Amino acid sequence: MDVAVGSTNPVKVDAVERTLERYEPTVTAVAVDSGVAEQPWSIAETVTGAETRARRALEVTGASYGVGLEGGVARLEGVSGLSLIMWGAATDGERMERGSGPTLRLPDRVAGRLEDGEELGPVMDDVLGREGIAESDGAAGVLTNGLTDRTRALGEAVACSVGPLLVDQYD
């Protein structure tokens, strides 16, 4: 399985490699523009970013599959507060499939800073007094006390977006 990932973020690449491990993938990471804001603010914008990354990764490499992963934030109907969301998109050049990872409510002090125009990664770094949260356990890992982490959370989005391309039920 030849897979191009529309990001050079090691966590996103690792999520693809781990999730597709049984297919013994050859994974190529490529830097592509998501076409959306650095901090997507809705499901639609987050999904669009993932789709654009998947499409562009496939175009640049000619791999069998292109995968895009995008994290964003959104206010969800029936859920209080601002939520962290994660979406994946996968394409084989003909079909585009999408799938989400977990959703997690953000603490109010983090949400307030995002609403003031800051981005989640730098805010989490500042709140925790660390650097590189987005390239390690991520907000998902920190805010669940390690019950999940960014790699596993994004892996669910990979599974739910790539999976439909690999089974006959969607034909």
Side-chain angles (χ1 to χ4, degrees):
M1 175 181 277
D2 187 18
V3 182
V5 181
S7 176
T8 57
N9 182 314
V11 174
K12 291 182 179 183
V13 175
D14 193 31
V16 172
E17 290 173 339
R18 286 185 186 194
T19 302
L20 301 177
E21 181 177 37
R22 75 181 206 200
Y23 296 99
E24 299 178 3
T26 299
V27 178
T28 303
V30 292
V32 297
D33 190 317
S34 68
V36 298
E38 197 67 31
Q39 180 63 75
W41 267 89
S42 67
I43 291 173
E45 188 177 14
T46 305
V47 170
T48 297
E51 291 172 342
T52 302
R53 287 179 184 279
R55 192 176 302 106
R56 289 179 175 170
L58 187 69
E59 290 169 359
V60 168
T61 64
S64 300
Y65 299 97
V67 174
L69 295 164
E70 194 74 32
V73 295
R75 293 208 176 273
L76 305 174
E77 185 176 335
V79 178
S80 63
L82 186 65
S83 293
L84 168 63
I85 59 174
M86 292 163 243
W87 278 84
T91 184
D92 60 6
E94 293 180 23
R95 292 175 35 209
M96 177 73 73
E97 295 291 341
R98 300 127 190 106
S100 71
T103 298
L104 176 67
R105 185 180 69 81
L106 293 168
D108 291 340
R109 68 184 173 147
V110 172
R113 289 180 62 178
L114 298 179
E115 289 167 337
D116 288 341
E118 294 184 66
E119 294 172 28
L120 182 58
V123 169
M124 293 301 298
D125 286 349
D126 183 53
V127 166
L128 298 169
R130 292 174 45 192
E131 287 188 26
I133 295 292
E135 287 81 31
S136 60
D137 43 359
V142 171
L143 297 174
T144 64
N145 199 30
L147 293 174
T148 192
D149 61 26
R150 191 167 189 225
T151 302
R152 284 187 298 215
L154 288 170
E156 293 301 319
V158 172
C160 293
S161 60
V162 174
L165 295 173
L166 304 177
V167 298
D168 297 334
Q169 287 78 0
Y170 292 91
D171 292 340

